[in-house]
């Protein structure tokens, strides 16, 4: 192994969309000038054709050829080692792409549960064949239109469905069809499909026939059985080899909560990679922490982002925004979440609910006659579950927060029995139920909150964010400092992030709305005006408030009309009240987008942002942008900088947050003054961290106020550092004031 590189700061790079591994190598000098110690790569593994993100892996033992393949990775690793920069790789153990492009899955499609690769995937074979709800219409109509046809040859028979080719069982019919006749009629197609280990159906009506574990409700991703040591060894072979060769200096584990037993998986990973740092993508609620027994450096940073937003927000302004949103947004966030969870269980997560109920029936020794009663009890318990998941599958006790939240449900004897299974000792059937239930609650929480109600409870969008909740309040200096002191003590190497590929809005976008909270009277005027415009246009006042905040964030951004149109369409489909991905209401989307563009125009012309306020408001935004940067770079933990955010980066929900970064402009200084100041601040503070890495990761942390500034003080091992960070009320932004370091 190569010599360990001290952790100072990571730089998150999104591969694909024009960024391959050779481009990553070209960026190393830029990262060195910033003071970055580790380049943090999104998944580089061979992914499905056309993948824009890499989480749809088809082969975790190969680097994707579109990124340059193995040779490009070796070039990058060698150059990084020479530059003194480590490589962190985002790995995806929970799922792979559910596509015949996946060579292991293709073998399963051909040979069924007898395939040598069947044990890799989480498939309920007793529920029927693997089901692909990919058809857009009746199968006989699609056949007539030429969307289904024989493919391959007699030795490799396949069925082409649109642009994908599905392996067929090698028998007389498939060999004759693909090797001789090359034609297909409806009766022959029916006979052919009846022989397969998989089935086809309309995506609108047949999703309940799915028999594989999905990632959330994404049918094109299939769960992987990492609890099997042989599956772990196969899927982690390349990763372990590269760690041992010194080519990887850190791992970030994607969606750890999807795994059957996260604690067991992480221990196996730790045993395989030694002391190589490991971070987990894990979302916790306020007051919740990840299990202390996990052998990892910490989480990937959402738990840092939320307290920082709450610290920077004005209490008076937040109250004003919420008051001015009454009757436009759902009145009770928790009630809205529970309502959406019920809808999702009934309409979306039906295959998952069926599997959880089946595991419960087995564990409780009940017959099929009790399925409806048990399903209802599972639904009640999952609807009221207060966190993404417990870790009963790893034999962890239920937390006090969980116990308190579900206390009122125990009057139902079936629910009480399910809770008993979660608390049971290491009984295989009880653990199997715990696994299935916890995999459901994680997905259900994410889809109901992050991907639905965060687009409904929109009084203040900075709290409609991954790791936050729309009804959270402001915190004071002492509360923030106590959280940072705990962080220094428990997870000094956890990542401190402000923006990721999964955040709904970048830190600099959120800063605009946080700044608005410091102008409560102005916020009231804007919110009242937006609601009035919504009424006059005959559109939802809730979405009028969303449009206003979007327009504010994009007030000085390029390509705004196109970005507004794309973002509003996605946001409304996520919100699932007026439009949805399955049935888009393009007219409603266009109306809200038009309102958003009108609001954006009003902000630009001075109609909504008068000259008497513009200077102070822009100064407040600058103060927030630089304050959150300074607080991130001086906190315990390891700062994680998302690509391009070393300058000013105002982006919205994916894919807007994966817009191309103009690194050449950054390097040449061709950017606005605020971006220049932020970049300068980043370099100065990362230089301080390079010189005193131990002080910043685990030294003591204090935060106090002095007139109109926050003062951060770090001490430890005979070293000291302090920085004054102007507070928003000053409408100033000199975050370089009085930086002191004492050895």
């Amino acid at each position: 192994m190569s010599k360990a590189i001290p952790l100072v700061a990571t730089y998150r790079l999104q591969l694909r969309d024009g960024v391959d591994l050779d481009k990553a190598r070209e960026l190393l000098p830029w990262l060195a000038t910033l003071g970055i110690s580790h380049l943090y790569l999104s998944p580089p593994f061979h992914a499905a054709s056309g993948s824009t993100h890499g989480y749809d892996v088809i082969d975790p033992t190969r680097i994707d050829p579109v990124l340059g393949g193995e040779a490009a990775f070796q070039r990058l690793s060698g150059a990084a080692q020479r530059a003194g920069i480590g490589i962190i790789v985002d790995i995806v153990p929970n799922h792979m792409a559910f596509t015949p492009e996946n060579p292991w899955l293709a073998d399963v499609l051909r040979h069924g549960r007898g395939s040598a690769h069947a044990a890799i995937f989480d498939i309920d074979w007793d529920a029927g064949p693997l089901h692909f709800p990919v058809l857009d219409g009746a199968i006989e109509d699609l056949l007539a239109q030429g969307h289904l046809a024989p493919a391959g040859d007699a030795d490799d028979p396949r069925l082409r469905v649109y642009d994908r080719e599905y392996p067929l069982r090698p028998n007389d019919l498939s060999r004759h069809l693909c090797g001789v006749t090359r034609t297909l009629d409806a009766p022959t197609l029916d006979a052919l499909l009846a022989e397969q280990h998989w089935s086809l159906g309309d995506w609108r009506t047949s999703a309940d026939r799915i028999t594989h574990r999905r990632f959330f409700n994404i049918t094109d991703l299939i769960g992987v059985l990492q609890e099997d040591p042989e599956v772990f060894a196969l899927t982690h072979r390349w990763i372990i080899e590269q760690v041992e060769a010194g080519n990887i200096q850190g791992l970030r584990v994607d969606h750890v909560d999807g795994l059957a037993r996260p604690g067991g998986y992480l221990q196996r990973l730790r045993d395989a990679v030694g002391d190589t740092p490991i971070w987990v993508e894990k979302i916790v609620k306020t007051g919740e922490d990840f299990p202390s027994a996990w052998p990892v450096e910490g989480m990937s940073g959402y738990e840092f982002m939320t307290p920082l937003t709450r610290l920077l927000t004005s209490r008076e302004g937040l109250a004003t925004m919420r008051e001015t949103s009454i009757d436009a947004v759902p009145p009770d966030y928790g009630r809205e979440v529970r309502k959406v969870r019920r809808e999702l269980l009934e309409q979306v997560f039906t295959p998952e609910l069926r599997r959880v109920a089946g595991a419960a029936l087995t564990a409780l020794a009940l017959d099929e006659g009790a399925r409806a009663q048990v399903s209802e009890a599972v639904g009640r318990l999952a609807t009221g579950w207060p966190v993404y998941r417990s870790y009963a599958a790893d034999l962890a006790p239920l937390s006090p927060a969980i116990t308190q939240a579900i206390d009122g449900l125990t009057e139902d004897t079936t629910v009480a029995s399910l809770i008993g299974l979660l608390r049971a000792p290491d009984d295989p059937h009880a653990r199997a139920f715990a696994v299935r239930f916890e995999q459901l609650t994680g997905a259900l929480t994410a889809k109901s909150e992050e991907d639905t109600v965060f687009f409904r409870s929109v009084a203040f969008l900075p709290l409609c964010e991954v790791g936050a909740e729309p009804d959270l309040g402001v915190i004071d200096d002492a509360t923030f400092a106590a959280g940072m002191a705990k962080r220094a003590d428990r997870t000094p190497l956890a990542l401190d992030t402000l923006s990721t590929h999964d955040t709904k809005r970048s830190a600099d976008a959120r800063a605009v709305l946080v700044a608005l909270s410091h102008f409560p009277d102005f916020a009231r005027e804007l919110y009242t005006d937006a609601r009035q415009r919504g009424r006059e246009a005959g559109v939802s006042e809730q979405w009028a408030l969303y449009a206003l905040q979007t327009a504010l964030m994009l007030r000085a951004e390029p390509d705004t009309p196109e970005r507004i149109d794309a973002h509003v369409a996605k946001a409304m489909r996520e919100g699932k009240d007026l439009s949805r991905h399955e049935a888009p209401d393009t007219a409603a989307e266009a109306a809200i987008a038009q309102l958003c563009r009108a609001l954006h125009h009003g902000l630009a012309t001075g109609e909504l942002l008068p000259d008497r306020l513009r200077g102070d408001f822009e100064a407040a935004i600058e103060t927030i942008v630089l304050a959150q940067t300074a607080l991130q770079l001086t906190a315990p933990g390891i700062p994680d900088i998302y690509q391009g955010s070393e300058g000013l980066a105002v982006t919205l929900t994916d894919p807007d947050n994966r817009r191309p970064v103009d690194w050449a402009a950054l390097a040449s200084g061709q950017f606005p003054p605020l971006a220049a100041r932020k970049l300068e601040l980043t370099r100065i503070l990362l230089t301080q961290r390079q010189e005193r890495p131990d002080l910043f990761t685990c030294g003591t942390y204090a935060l106090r106020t002095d007139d109109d500034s926050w003062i951060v003080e770090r001490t430890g091992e005979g070293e000291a550092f302090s920085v004054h960070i102007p507070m928003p009320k000053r409408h100033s932004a000199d975050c370089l004031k009085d930086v002191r370091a004492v050895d």
Side-chain angles (χ1 to χ4, degrees):
M1 289 189 184
S2 60
K3 183 178 179 181
I5 298 171
L7 279 157
V8 174
T10 65
Y11 189 92
R12 169 75 183 200
L13 185 65
Q14 290 297 113
L15 299 173
R16 304 174 195 280
D17 291 334
V19 178
D20 61 13
L21 293 169
D22 285 328
K23 176 62 178 179
R25 178 167 52 87
E26 294 172 6
L27 291 174
L28 292 173
W30 171 250
L31 302 185
T33 66
L34 288 178
I36 299 296
S37 64
H38 288 70
L39 173 59
Y40 166 10
L41 300 174
S42 66
F45 308 103
H46 196 184
S49 296
S51 175
T52 58
H53 46 73
Y55 292 93
D56 43 0
V57 176
I58 62 173
D59 188 347
T61 68
R62 296 179 60 207
I63 295 293
D64 202 324
V66 303
L67 300 177
E70 186 68 26
F73 181 81
Q74 296 302 324
R75 288 193 296 270
L76 170 62
S77 175
Q81 291 179 48
R82 290 189 293 274
I85 293 176
I87 299 291
I88 297 170
V89 173
D90 193 345
I91 65 174
V92 192
N94 175 69
H95 53 266
M96 294 177 67
F98 186 59
T99 168
E101 276 192 280
N102 182 329
W104 298 339
L105 185 66
D107 192 68
V108 175
L109 298 181
R110 177 151 283 162
H111 301 291
R113 66 200 311 175
S115 165
H117 299 101
I120 295 173
F121 303 108
D122 195 346
I123 301 167
D124 183 4
W125 289 105
D126 294 335
L130 270 173
H131 184 65
F132 289 86
V134 297
L135 302 182
D136 189 17
I139 195 165
E140 59 272 15
D141 295 335
L142 297 172
L143 175 63
Q145 295 164 13
H147 294 306
L148 290 87
D153 54 35
D155 295 326
D156 180 19
R158 297 171 178 268
L159 178 68
R160 178 178 60 77
V161 182
Y162 299 119
D163 59 349
R164 292 182 176 180
E165 295 185 359
Y166 292 76
L168 297 167
R169 291 181 73 171
N171 58 20
D172 291 342
L173 176 58
S174 64
R175 291 191 179 101
H176 181 74
L177 183 66
C178 297
V180 180
T181 67
R182 307 294 296 179
T183 59
L184 186 63
D185 57 25
T188 305
L189 177 60
D190 289 342
L192 182 72
L193 291 176
E195 297 178 342
Q196 304 312 312
H197 300 290
W198 48 270
S199 62
L200 299 171
D202 191 305
W203 63 271
R204 299 174 188 83
T205 59
S206 70
D208 60 349
R209 291 163 52 192
I210 291 167
T211 61
H212 68 278
R213 176 170 61 87
R214 301 180 286 181
F215 169 70
F216 293 173
N217 64 330
I218 302 174
T219 302
D220 281 347
L221 296 173
I222 182 171
V224 175
L225 295 170
Q226 292 292 352
E227 57 269 35
D228 184 331
E230 293 185 5
V231 173
F232 176 92
L234 174 63
T235 56
H236 290 69
R237 182 179 64 208
W238 183 90
I239 296 163
I240 295 168
E241 288 173 353
Q242 298 305 315
V243 168
E244 291 175 345
N247 296 328
I248 292 177
Q249 287 74 37
L251 299 170
R252 182 263 198 186
V253 179
D254 178 68
H255 190 50
V256 72
D257 275 351
L259 299 169
R261 294 192 173 194
Y265 166 83
L266 291 171
Q267 187 58 60
R268 184 173 287 125
L269 182 61
R270 172 58 68 203
D271 292 342
V273 301
D275 59 2
T276 300
I278 301 171
W279 295 274
V280 293
E281 183 198 28
K282 165 67 186 166
I283 300 171
V284 293
K285 299 283 190 160
T286 301
E288 182 191 10
D289 212 337
F290 73 94
S292 59
W294 284 3
V296 299
E297 272 58 39
M299 294 179 282
S300 56
Y302 298 125
E303 75 289 350
F304 172 81
M305 188 170 66
T306 298
L308 184 56
T309 297
R310 298 173 70 189
L311 172 69
L312 293 170
T313 300
S314 161
R315 190 181 307 275
E316 180 184 359
L318 178 59
T320 297
M321 292 171 172
R322 287 175 170 164
E323 177 190 340
T324 319
S325 300
I326 290 174
D327 297 328
V329 303
D332 186 313
Y333 170 69
R335 186 185 307 147
E336 190 75 6
V337 167
R338 291 189 292 274
K339 181 182 79 172
V340 171
R341 287 188 183 186
R342 264 295 173 188
E343 292 171 355
L344 291 173
L345 285 169
E346 293 171 359
Q347 301 169 14
V348 176
F349 287 110
T350 49
E352 289 74 17
L353 181 58
R354 181 183 66 237
R355 297 185 79 176
V356 177
L361 289 173
T362 300
L364 296 172
L366 298 174
D367 59 30
E368 279 294 317
R371 179 174 284 273
Q373 177 183 350
V374 168
S375 293
E376 174 60 25
V378 170
R380 290 192 64 199
L381 187 58
T383 298
W385 206 249
V387 295
Y388 282 76
R389 77 174 279 173
S390 67
Y391 297 95
D394 279 318
L395 297 178
L398 299 184
S399 69
I402 295 175
T403 301
Q404 181 179 359
I406 64 177
D407 182 60
L409 301 174
T410 56
E411 295 177 2
D412 182 317
T413 56
T414 308
V415 173
S417 297
L418 298 178
I419 296 171
L421 293 176
L422 296 174
R423 289 174 165 150
D426 200 7
D427 170 74
H429 295 309
R431 295 287 67 70
F433 167 74
V435 166
R436 293 300 181 204
F437 179 74
E438 293 177 337
Q439 288 173 329
L440 171 62
T441 61
L444 187 62
T445 301
K447 295 305 294 183
S448 61
E449 298 187 24
E450 297 168 45
D451 293 344
T452 304
V453 184
F454 280 12
F455 294 91
R456 297 183 183 181
S457 296
V458 296
F460 185 61
L461 288 181
L463 291 176
C464 300
E465 191 54 86
V466 183
E469 294 179 39
D471 59 353
L472 291 175
V474 172
I475 61 173
D476 59 18
D477 313 339
T479 303
F480 182 83
M484 293 302 102
K486 179 181 177 183
R487 195 172 185 80
D489 179 60
R490 184 176 176 202
T491 55
L493 297 180
L495 298 183
D496 297 339
T497 195
L498 294 179
S499 304
T500 77
H501 64 297
D502 279 330
T503 48
K504 305 300 182 186
R505 287 150 286 274
S506 66
D508 294 338
R510 297 193 302 272
V512 177
L513 303 179
V514 172
L516 180 63
S517 75
H518 293 270
F519 295 79
D521 293 338
F522 181 41
R524 185 185 302 277
E525 291 177 12
L526 288 176
Y527 274 45
T528 301
D529 178 79
R531 293 187 63 175
Q532 177 63 30
R533 289 177 183 236
R535 289 193 294 271
E536 292 173 355
V539 302
S540 159
E541 293 181 47
Q542 168 194 306
W543 284 105
L545 292 176
Y546 191 95
L548 168 67
Q549 293 173 78
T550 301
L552 274 164
M553 290 183 286
L554 295 179
R555 77 202 183 288
E557 286 296 294
D559 307 322
T560 302
E562 298 82 359
R563 293 173 69 183
I564 285 173
D565 289 351
H567 176 70
V568 165
K570 177 167 184 177
M572 292 184 69
R573 293 172 195 183
E574 294 284 86
K576 305 176 187 64
D577 49 2
L578 300 183
S579 186
R580 58 181 58 223
H581 291 288
E582 300 83 358
D585 186 334
T586 55
E589 294 167 2
I592 298 300
Q594 181 178 1
L595 175 59
C596 187
R597 290 194 300 272
L599 290 164
H600 184 269
H601 179 74
L603 291 166
T605 60
E607 177 189 0
L608 295 177
L609 181 54
D611 291 341
R612 63 182 173 81
L613 281 178
R614 187 178 296 274
D616 286 347
F617 184 54
E618 294 295 339
I621 293 170
E622 186 169 347
T623 300
I624 295 293
V625 166
L626 297 181
Q628 63 189 6
T629 300
L631 288 164
Q632 177 197 27
L633 298 181
T634 57
I638 306 301
D640 174 39
I641 298 173
Y642 187 68
Q643 61 177 30
S645 65
E646 64 269 37
L648 194 66
V650 176
T651 59
L652 306 175
T653 307
D654 171 84
D656 193 72
N657 60 21
R658 288 188 281 112
R659 288 165 57 83
V661 176
D662 191 345
W663 283 286
L666 284 169
S668 64
Q670 298 174 10
F671 40 69
L674 175 53
R677 301 191 71 174
K678 184 181 179 186
L679 180 58
E680 181 187 9
L681 175 62
T682 298
R683 283 176 166 151
I684 288 174
L685 292 178
L686 287 184
T687 296
Q688 294 290 329
R689 294 191 73 107
Q690 283 181 321
E691 295 173 354
R692 303 166 178 79
D694 292 340
L695 172 67
F696 281 95
T697 53
C698 52
T700 64
Y701 182 92
L703 177 69
R704 57 186 177 85
T705 58
D706 179 15
D707 296 327
D708 52 8
S709 295
W710 285 296
I711 303 174
V712 172
E713 296 174 330
R714 306 298 309 275
T715 59
E717 300 293 328
E719 297 181 321
F721 167 89
S722 68
V723 61
H724 286 233
I725 305 170
M727 300 170 73
K729 65 181 181 181
R730 279 191 65 191
H731 302 156
S732 171
D734 188 5
C735 275
L736 305 183
K737 173 187 174 185
D738 198 16
V739 176
R740 299 191 300 271
V742 182
D743 289 317

